[in-house]
Amino acid sequence: MADADKLDIEIIRDECIGDGACCSDAPGTFEMDDENIAIFKNPITDDRDTIVEAARNCPTEAIIVKDKETGEQLFPEE
């Protein structure tokens, strides 16, 4: 079961270069739009660790992941 509802995930569109690593790493969360920019799938089906790992593998750090309950930024680390 996905726990994306416990995460605040942001894609910074201006920083996304369309590498697609996020789509490969978390195919239940990310896909590319018509402009080759990452967007969210609906519903998101990946687990927390998978989503954070996909953010880590983004070459431009265009994905920000925070824990909704604690407010802790999981990636990029502050």
Side-chain angles (χ1 to χ4, degrees), residues 43 49 70:
D49 292 340
T70 65

Side-chain angles (χ1 to χ4, degrees), residues 11-17 37 60 62:
I11 299 170
I12 305 169
R13 288 187 60 86
D14 291 344
E15 293 183 20
C16 179
I17 60 170
I37 302 294
T60 61

Side-chain angles (χ1 to χ4, degrees), residues 60-76:
T60 61
E61 295 187 358
I63 303 169
I64 299 170
V65 183
K66 295 180 182 177
D67 184 302
K68 281 185 181 177
E69 292 177 5
T70 65
E72 176 189 6
Q73 186 163 307
L74 304 173
F75 189 83

Side-chain angles (χ1 to χ4, degrees), residues 5-71:
D5 57 332
K6 297 177 184 174
L7 298 175
D8 182 18
I9 310 165
E10 177 185 356
I11 299 170
I12 305 169
R13 288 187 60 86
D14 291 344
E15 293 183 20
C16 179
I17 60 170
D19 177 72
C22 58
C23 300
S24 297
D25 294 341
T29 301
F30 303 102
E31 62 187 355
M32 304 307 273
D33 68 9
D34 293 341
E35 297 174 18
N36 206 34
I37 302 294
I39 58 172
F40 300 109
K41 287 189 169 183
N42 187 15
I44 292 173
T45 58
D46 291 309
D47 63 36
R48 173 188 178 112
D49 292 340
T50 300
I51 294 168
V52 172
E53 186 64 23
R56 279 194 181 102
N57 291 331
C58 176
T60 61
E61 295 187 358
I63 303 169
I64 299 170
V65 183
K66 295 180 182 177
D67 184 302
K68 281 185 181 177
E69 292 177 5
T70 65

